[in-house]
């Protein structure tokens, strides 16, 4: 509401996630896109996924983006809002459509996986420092961004450069590299992602991404290439994840320059989609709560396990006390824990959940 020409300052939330979300069409049966007779509608977007998981886990979250003034835009805003995410700063674009994409049912890591994107010229690609509410973006404890946004357009890249630039009072900036070579128009993408990552406080990157984009091998090499962030999390797939910090004050005060590795959980995988976003959400949730680095990694793995045991990108996270109990297991129990479909829906005693794979 505006009174006398003044504008009410936006409420400060735990996390703001800025980026494009699209309507996703998931096949009803396996097979090539050419052979699939029908699809089910869902939503997909790295940053909005993080916001939805955090909101479902009890944090205040805001999604900032642009969508078309169309039915798909309505669906995105309504669906993301239904998770408890503040969508009041999402702007509508009457001249550009909401992005959509279709994918096959198979694992994204296989050669048989197909994705057909229809996002060129989308409303989100028109995000600029002038077309988003920067006050709403910065009114947060953590601002979560990803490299996908930087690849959408030149103005989107300028926006991310503005948000990762050092300035007094900025929120803690979380950056998921999300290297998508197909989105970049030239070979400069890898250099740009390195530049943006160096401006962040928390960086998430897969070891495979670091090899492909930057030619870096191993978590220590990634940390050396990114000396500025307070903490760098290198995800090693089914092996686990390593967090490397530096001496600092604030939310990462226990990160002392040493590497903390936590192995991934044994999971009965239903679909290997959404796990990276869920991992980031779990890590950020534990960061907001001031938990030790080991527990931040464990909460990341638990949120990833929730996503891996459902067909789509988004899953109901475990109740906080359930996740806390599992994160507190000793190393032996953590190593033998196995999680399958439905594990987040009930909270049995931790020792009952431990089984040998």
């Amino acid at each position: 509401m505006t009174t006398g020409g003044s504008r009410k300052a936006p409420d400060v939330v735990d996390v703001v996630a800025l980026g494009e979300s699209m309507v996703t069409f998931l096949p009803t049966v396996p097979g090539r896109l050419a052979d699939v007779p029908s699809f089910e509608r869902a939503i997909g977007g790295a940053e909005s996924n993080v916001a939805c998981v955090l909101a479902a886990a009890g944090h205040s979250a805001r999604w900032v983006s642009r969508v078309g003034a169309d039915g798909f835009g309505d669906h995105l805003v309504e669906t993301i809002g239904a998770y408890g995410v503040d969508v009041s700063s999402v702007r509508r674009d009457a001249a550009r459509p909401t992005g959509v994409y279709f994918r096959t049912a198979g694992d994204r890591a296989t050669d048989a996986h197909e994705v057909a994107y229809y996002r060129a010229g989308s409303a989100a690609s028109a995000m600029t420092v002038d077309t988003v509410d920067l006050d709403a973006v910065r009114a947060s404890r953590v601002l979560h961004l990803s490299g996908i946004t930087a690849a959408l357009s030149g103005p989107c890249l300028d926006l991310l450069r503005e948000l990762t630039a050092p300035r007094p009072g900025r929120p803690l900036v979380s950056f998921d590299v999300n290297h998508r070579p197909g989105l970049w128009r030239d070979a400069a993408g890898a250099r740009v992602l390195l530049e943006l990552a160096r401006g962040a406080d928390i960086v998430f990157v897969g070891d495979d991404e670091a090899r492909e984009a930057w030619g870096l091998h191993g978590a220590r090499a990634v940390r050396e290439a990114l000396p500025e962030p307070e903490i760098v999390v290198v995800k090693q797939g089914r092996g686990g994840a390593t967090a490397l910090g530096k001496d600092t004050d604030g939310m990462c005060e226990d990160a002392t320059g040493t590497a903390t590795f936590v192995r991934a959980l044994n999971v009965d995988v239903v679909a290997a989609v959404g796990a990276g976003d869920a991992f980031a959400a779990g890590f950020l949730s534990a960061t907001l709560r001031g938990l030790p680095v080991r527990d931040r990694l464990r909460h990341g793995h638990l949120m990833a396990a929730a996503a891996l045991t459902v067909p789509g990108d988004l899953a109901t996270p475990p109740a906080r006390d359930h996740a806390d109990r599992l994160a507190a297991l000793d190393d032996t129990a953590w190593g033998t824990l196995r999680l399958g479909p439905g594990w987040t829906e009930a909270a049995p005693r931790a020792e009952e959940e431990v089984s040998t794979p």
Side-chain angles (χ1 to χ4, degrees), residues 109-156:
T110 68
D111 293 336
H113 183 68
E114 297 175 75
V115 181
Y117 287 106
Y118 300 90
R119 73 194 306 177
S122 69
S125 71
M127 288 190 292
T128 71
V129 293
D130 297 316
T131 61
V132 301
D133 186 343
L134 292 182
D135 290 338
V137 171
R138 291 177 171 136
S140 61
R141 296 174 62 194
V142 174
L143 169 59
H144 183 69
L145 308 168
S146 94
I148 295 172
T149 305
L152 297 180
S153 67
C156 281

Side-chain angles (χ1 to χ4, degrees), residues 314-338:
L314 290 167
T316 301
R320 183 171 292 184
D321 60 346
H322 186 190
D324 284 345
R325 187 168 62 252
L326 295 179
L329 291 171
D330 61 39
D331 289 344
T332 300
W334 177 266
T336 56
L337 183 65
R338 189 177 194 100

Side-chain angles (χ1 to χ4, degrees), residues 265 294 298 302 318 321-330 334 337 339 343 348-351 353-354:
L265 291 160
R294 187 208 71 164
R298 285 192 170 191
L302 287 164
D321 60 346
H322 186 190
D324 284 345
R325 187 168 62 252
L326 295 179
L329 291 171
D330 61 39
W334 177 266
L337 183 65
L339 300 173
W343 75 270
R349 292 183 301 121
E351 58 267 27
E353 294 169 288
V354 177

